[in-house]
Amino acid sequence: MAYISDINPDLILTYTVIQQQADTLCDFLERSQKKYDNTDPHDRNYLFLSIRNQFNAQQFEINYNQRSENRVLRAAQLIFLNKICFNGLYRLNSKGEFNVPHGKYSHPKIADPENITAVSTFLQNVEIKHADYTDCLNKVTSNSFVYFDPPYKPLGKTANFTTYTETELTDRE
Ligand SMILES: C[S@@+](CC[C@H](N)C(=O)[O-])C[C@H]1O[C@@H](n2cnc3c(N)ncnc32)[C@H](O)[C@@H]1O
């Protein structure tokens, strides 16, 4: 069996939507791609900011467990923001709001149905859980392969990017 988890509810929601609602997600992403491509390059920052504002305004309205269209829209928004924000970063402020600015891309690939479909097929037999990393411990035996992808350590004094969510994961953890 395979098990994946993360403490970030929106990342886990996105994995779950890719697993269970890939076709609807691809429709949303293709619409977003058309909208972005048809927007004048000078106005793309406004489009980015309006999606970012919607994403942040809806953060407490989402039922993360329900198989709803609302959930697919949120996964599509996260992928849209990830594809066109600065360096594909994911960063939240202390209020839990996504605050990465717009990046500079001439032809970002927002919709990639082939890739989403391939990942969805791969995820069919995977248990996906919103959980702290310690929750996997009761599943681990001497035959398990465990892979951790923890927050990156800062490279220098000026690069202190390690926080993806409001809480920190440090060397001690
Ligand atoms: C380098 S990113 C890995 C991203 C992820 N592998 C993906 O599919 O995009 C580090 C991840 O560690 C997660 N994280 C931070 N603290 C955690 C904790 N206590 N338990 C589980 N995941 C945690 C963050 O939410 C973030 O998604």
Side-chain angles (χ1 to χ4, degrees):
M1 70 164 291
Y3 167 86
I4 57 175
S5 69
D6 198 285
I7 203 79
N8 179 337
D10 287 307
L11 183 63
I12 289 304
L13 173 141
T14 303
Y15 273 111
T16 308
V17 167
I18 293 172
Q19 182 193 51
Q20 299 173 6
Q21 292 162 284
D23 291 345
T24 321
L25 176 65
C26 288
D27 291 344
F28 274 85
L29 290 172
E30 271 161 19
R31 265 181 264 157
S32 300
Q33 181 83 62
K34 275 193 197 124
K35 194 162 184 190
Y36 190 83
D37 293 345
N38 292 334
T39 300
D40 186 283
H42 295 102
D43 295 330
R44 286 179 178 168
N45 188 37
Y46 296 110
L47 176 62
F48 172 82
L49 291 177
S50 82
I51 302 293
R52 196 178 80 174
N53 287 343
Q54 282 172 36
F55 183 79
N56 287 331
Q58 290 161 354
Q59 64 174 317
F60 301 112
E61 294 165 18
I62 299 293
N63 183 342
Y64 285 86
N65 300 316
Q66 217 178 61
R67 199 186 166 102
S68 61
E69 211 160 84
N70 207 348
R71 197 174 75 158
V72 186
L73 174 64
R74 190 158 184 85
Q77 287 173 343
L78 186 138
I79 293 171
F80 175 88
L81 293 172
N82 174 261
K83 294 293 179 192
I84 61 169
C85 74
F86 177 76
N87 275 359
L89 288 177
Y90 188 89
R91 186 185 61 202
L92 304 179
N93 64 19
S94 58
K95 290 187 215 151
E97 295 163 338
F98 182 82
N99 66 358
V100 182
H102 188 212
K104 285 199 173 72
Y105 307 97
S106 42
H107 299 292
K109 199 169 189 176
I110 297 161
D112 188 353
E114 262 178 44
N115 188 40
I116 296 275
T117 307
V119 176
S120 182
T121 305
F122 188 79
L123 288 176
Q124 288 314 301
N125 295 315
V126 175
E127 182 182 349
I128 303 169
K129 199 160 169 211
H130 173 229
D132 189 82
Y133 72 99
T134 51
D135 278 31
C136 76
L137 293 177
N138 61 6
K139 296 180 185 292
V140 176
T141 69
S142 55
N143 292 320
S144 303
F145 172 78
V146 181
Y147 175 72
F148 283 103
D149 188 9
Y152 309 128
K153 284 178 78 80
L155 287 172
K157 281 188 186 147
T158 52
N160 60 355
F161 179 73
T162 53
T163 308
Y164 293 81
T165 56
E166 302 97 296
T167 55
E168 290 222 27
L169 192 132
T170 63
D171 284 353
R172 189 173 176 279
E173 286 73 36

